[in-house]
Amino acid sequence: MSLTQVFGGRGKATDLEPLGVIDIGSNSVRLVVYEGAVRAALPIFNEKVLAGLGKSIASTKCLGEESVERSLEALRRFRAIARILKVKNLRVLATAAVRDAEDGTRFIQRAERVIGVPIEVLSGAKEAELAAYGIRMGFLGADGLAGDLGGGSLELIDISKDRLNDAATLPLGGLRLIDRTGNKLDRALPLVDEAVAGVDWLMHGRGRPFYAVGGTWRALAKLHMEQTDYPLRVMHGYAIPTREAIEFCQFVRRVKKVSALPGMDEVARARRDIVPFGALVLERVLEALAPSEVVFSVCGIREGLLFSLMPRHEQAKDPLLAFCEGYARQRSRSALHAHELCNWTDALFEGEGPKETAEDRRLRHAACLLSDIGWQAHPDYRGEQSLNIVAHAGLSGIDHPGRIFLALAVYYRHAGSDEGKPDDFSTRLRLVVSKRSQKRAKIIGAAIRAAHMLSIGMPGVIDETRLSYEGQKLVLSIPKAYSALDGERLRRRFAVLAGLLAREPEIRLGV
């Protein structure tokens, strides 16, 4: 077995070719460079410029000259960045502002000379389609309505797992509403209601999730986290019950001084004036839809374009497990051992063991894949560092309770289940997940601790051993070839695992 196999082949995959996407939106111009067109693609560069191309479209029908120059300057820099990063495949998209402006064609001609590649001006239907693909990129089996709010328009899309149903484009972007109303929020209310009422299929969203996409709505999520003192400041997968979301939107749009809201100092200045209009749009859409909850997504048309370029077999992969698999290869001592842990722990949840759902099993396997990513840290801090890495990782295909479960499972793998001196972050995370989830995290963490003590983190050992339930006993059978690995620390860790499962521990050697 080679060292590459044992230590996971850490480092950037050599068979991936970076892919760049530039999104020329109504409010911002952004470049994201992805490591490749794969299911759990990591962005290796991300930069935006709030150029405000769409801020005067409603009143003048044209792109403002200052905004045009800012956009062209951004594109000039982005072209240089793409060259340095050796991006051969650079895709450039333009959305509502350029699509609707009378001088949009002239801008595209100038922009193409600057960026050096063709620019695709998306129709409303195409923009909605890519937004839907973005939701599929970020969520496993997404089934609900999605809304992508930009500076110029709102795209609404009905998604049923891998099928795109109805779609509509509404002139409700924040910059457009500010321009149409003279920055008067009360004048925007009837405009929003009229546009939303014209979408006759919105009742299909009743009782299903609403996926909220776009920087303005993410800013609202950030404000809500601040107001509720939510411990995990990760946008993707953050969910709010519908009624609570409506009430919060009403609060934001009615507050006298928006700039004084807690958390507003973390929102870009150029976006702050748009936030109340975004709150109004979200409130009225939710009132019309009556969804089960609002789920915020960081994946939009850029990620949707990336998804559309993947082969079908890549699209079909589980985004969470694809990410964890790649992370295990890069950060663990052995990705092979991580996979062995998935199979080894299966026995704990079969037969007389605790029952688990398909989603429970999926999360357990993800925890096993991530269980050794902190091995290079100082032993005293592996638990805390692993907790922080997993809690804030670029995971998709997972909700926040699942994310916190993974973080706690990997934390307990290093720190043990003893809560004598828990750190503050792990304590706060435990407050927002169920007791059942915490118990499962402890069991899986304890199982991985015992496995690593037996295998020393190397492949080819635990797959030769066997876990089984025999009445009130949890039995670990170790063959003769590995009997010498028995010892006090292994027995102590195995006893902790058995205790969490309400069993007596027994280790049998030479079987």
Side-chain angles (χ1 to χ4, degrees), residues 52-282:
L53 275 175
K55 65 182 180 182
S56 60
I57 294 292
S59 58
T60 68
K61 310 296 184 185
C62 293
L63 306 169
E65 188 57 35
E66 181 181 346
S67 296
V68 166
E69 293 304 321
R70 282 177 61 81
S71 299
L72 294 176
E73 182 180 342
L75 292 176
R76 197 169 291 112
R77 170 174 163 79
F78 291 168
R79 182 177 184 176
I81 291 168
R83 184 176 64 251
I84 291 171
L85 294 177
K86 295 180 172 54
V87 177
K88 296 178 182 178
N89 190 355
L90 180 62
R91 302 296 185 97
V92 187
L93 310 174
T95 56
V98 177
R99 180 172 69 232
D100 297 339
E102 292 179 354
D103 57 349
T105 301
R106 180 171 176 270
F107 169 78
I108 290 297
Q109 292 171 346
R110 295 180 65 189
E112 286 182 338
R113 287 195 296 271
V114 170
I115 196 62
V117 297
I119 297 174
E120 180 181 1
V121 181
L122 301 178
S123 65
K126 184 65 174 179
E127 191 172 348
E129 178 185 349
L130 290 182
Y133 282 144
I135 295 299
R136 289 183 61 191
M137 182 74 166
F139 298 90
L140 182 65
D143 190 340
L145 265 64
D148 187 348
L149 182 68
S153 63
L154 168 66
E155 275 65 49
L156 293 171
I157 317 100
D158 186 335
I159 308 167
S160 298
K161 299 190 185 301
D162 59 350
R163 188 175 72 252
L164 312 184
N165 302 314
D166 299 299
T169 297
L170 306 180
L172 298 180
L175 288 177
R176 187 187 294 266
L177 287 174
I178 289 174
D179 191 23
R180 289 180 67 186
T181 64
N183 202 15
K184 301 295 183 182
L185 197 58
D186 56 338
R187 295 180 186 174
L189 180 58
L191 298 177
V192 174
D193 282 345
E194 181 183 3
V196 171
V199 183
D200 58 7
W201 47 265
L202 286 186
M203 74 286 297
H204 298 158
R206 192 171 303 276
R208 299 162 67 199
F210 178 72
Y211 300 95
V213 184
T216 300
W217 282 348
R218 287 196 296 273
L220 275 174
K222 188 177 297 185
L223 296 178
H224 186 267
M225 288 176 172
E226 187 69 29
Q227 186 189 60
T228 58
D229 194 28
Y230 188 71
L232 187 58
R233 302 305 170 94
V234 174
M235 290 298 111
H236 191 70
Y238 182 61
I240 310 175
T242 297
R243 180 44 52 186
E244 183 178 343
I246 289 172
E247 292 173 355
F248 182 69
C249 288
Q250 291 172 340
F251 166 73
V252 170
R253 72 178 179 87
R254 290 171 180 169
V255 72
K256 291 184 178 179
K257 192 174 182 181
V258 176
S259 60
L261 286 171
M264 187 60 82
D265 56 341
E266 297 182 20
V267 176
R269 289 184 179 276
R271 199 182 292 281
R272 293 177 190 176
D273 289 342
I274 305 174
V275 168
F277 289 86
L280 171 63
V281 174
L282 183 58

Side-chain angles (χ1 to χ4, degrees), residues 482-502:
Y482 297 110
S483 292
L485 292 172
D486 183 30
E488 180 182 337
R489 293 188 70 191
L490 171 62
R491 289 180 176 270
R492 191 162 59 239
R493 289 190 178 187
F494 186 67
V496 172
L497 172 61
L500 287 168
L501 293 166

Side-chain angles (χ1 to χ4, degrees), residues 374-493:
W375 74 277
Q376 296 180 73
H378 188 283
D380 292 346
Y381 302 103
R382 284 176 186 160
E384 293 177 39
Q385 290 196 18
S386 298
L387 178 85
N388 272 285
I389 289 171
V390 176
H392 299 102
L395 303 173
S396 58
I398 189 171
D399 58 16
H400 272 219
R403 178 186 287 269
I404 294 170
F405 163 81
L406 288 185
L408 290 175
V410 178
Y411 171 78
Y412 289 132
R413 170 261 187 273
H414 290 289
S417 59
D418 180 13
E419 298 184 29
K421 292 184 179 179
D423 66 280
D424 180 63
F425 187 41
S426 66
T427 299
R428 296 187 69 211
L429 289 182
R430 285 197 292 271
L431 294 175
V432 296
V433 292
S434 69
K435 296 293 185 183
R436 177 181 181 274
S437 185
Q438 292 181 47
K439 180 68 177 291
R440 278 183 52 81
K442 288 181 180 180
I443 291 172
I444 293 164
I448 295 170
R449 278 174 69 78
H452 272 268
M453 187 54 62
L454 176 61
S455 66
I456 324 302
M458 292 294 103
V461 179
I462 60 171
D463 62 341
E464 297 293 329
T465 70
R466 185 168 60 88
L467 287 171
S468 61
Y469 291 101
E470 295 185 11
Q472 292 303 307
K473 292 181 179 180
L474 177 67
V475 179
L476 172 60
S477 300
I478 303 175
K480 184 177 181 180
Y482 297 110
S483 292
L485 292 172
D486 183 30
E488 180 182 337
R489 293 188 70 191
L490 171 62
R491 289 180 176 270
R492 191 162 59 239
R493 289 190 178 187

